[in-house]
Amino acid sequence: MINEKLEHAFCVQINKELYSAYLYLAMQTYFKDMNLDGFANWMAVQVQEELAHAMGMYNYVLERGGKVTLMSVDKPEDSWNSPLSVFEKVLEHEEYVTSLINELTSVAEEVKDRAAISLLQWYIKEQVEEEANVSNVLGNLKLAQNDPRALLLLDRELATRTFVAPVIG
């Protein structure tokens, strides 16, 4: 049976993961409106990943005999100045999510739930990968420096990203 404090912490994190999906959906809409379908595709994959992360935690709580309490998902920001400003926000958000995963891990350590700690190691590694992927796109956008041709080349590259369902845990 999962510890009550840890169960609540997982429910809060599930909400944050769903918010992340919602935020990336808003960003996908922004890129669709700009006719940058590759960027929109990158965000669509992010939406799927965040939903998978939420469901991984959801299933874990249930497997441990806990109850998932769903909470309202906040309205995400939905306007940006440029593709660069979007990805600056993405990096800021992923760094925030990393801090949340670290806090959740601290709760698991506090209540000495080794199964949760083991599960959360996957999420910690995933966050390192998430931040690196975003940093790469952000670096490319900075190199493009408002050159429409470079932006279109990057858009084509981002169109090739595909979702691969993660094996969590």
Side-chain angles (χ1 to χ4, degrees):
M1 187 74 164
I2 192 168
N3 172 281
E4 189 176 305
K5 181 177 182 176
L6 185 58
E7 175 185 275
H8 175 73
F10 266 109
C11 290
V12 169
Q13 188 62 37
I14 290 166
N15 177 268
K16 299 298 184 186
E17 298 293 336
L18 293 173
Y19 172 81
S20 295
Y22 210 32
L23 175 64
Y24 294 138
L25 188 60
M27 291 173 172
Q28 179 183 356
T29 301
Y30 169 82
F31 286 121
K32 280 285 194 186
D33 289 346
M34 292 184 69
N35 293 316
L36 290 171
D37 291 338
F39 282 88
N41 175 68
W42 196 96
M43 290 299 167
V45 171
Q46 278 302 111
V47 170
Q48 292 174 297
E49 284 192 4
E50 300 307 332
L51 291 173
H53 296 166
M55 292 308 298
M57 291 182 184
Y58 173 91
N59 290 328
Y60 178 78
V61 170
L62 295 179
E63 287 170 2
R64 295 292 308 279
K67 181 178 189 293
V68 174
T69 303
L70 298 176
M71 303 165 203
S72 296
V73 178
D74 292 337
K75 180 186 182 305
E77 180 180 351
D78 62 1
S79 63
W80 297 272
N81 298 324
S82 66
L84 178 64
S85 69
V86 172
F87 274 87
E88 287 171 339
K89 178 64 177 182
V90 172
L91 182 58
E92 176 186 312
H93 182 72
E94 287 300 333
E95 289 170 343
Y96 171 67
V97 171
T98 297
S99 74
L100 294 174
I101 297 293
N102 288 337
E103 289 174 26
L104 180 56
T105 303
S106 293
V107 174
E109 290 169 342
E110 177 188 325
V111 301
K112 296 180 174 37
D113 189 321
R114 285 165 182 70
I117 293 167
S118 177
L119 173 78
L120 291 169
Q121 291 305 309
W122 182 89
Y123 284 92
I124 291 167
K125 289 177 189 170
E126 176 70 5
Q127 282 309 119
V128 170
E129 187 178 302
E130 294 277 356
E131 288 183 29
N133 287 340
V134 174
S135 292
N136 184 49
V137 176
L138 190 54
N140 286 333
L141 280 168
K142 287 177 181 176
L143 285 173
Q145 294 191 6
N146 299 321
D147 179 347
R149 292 170 296 184
L151 187 64
L152 289 175
L153 283 173
L154 184 54
D155 187 61
R156 285 188 190 143
E157 180 184 328
L158 297 181
T160 65
R161 185 178 190 212
T162 58
F163 175 69
V164 178
V167 178
I168 298 173

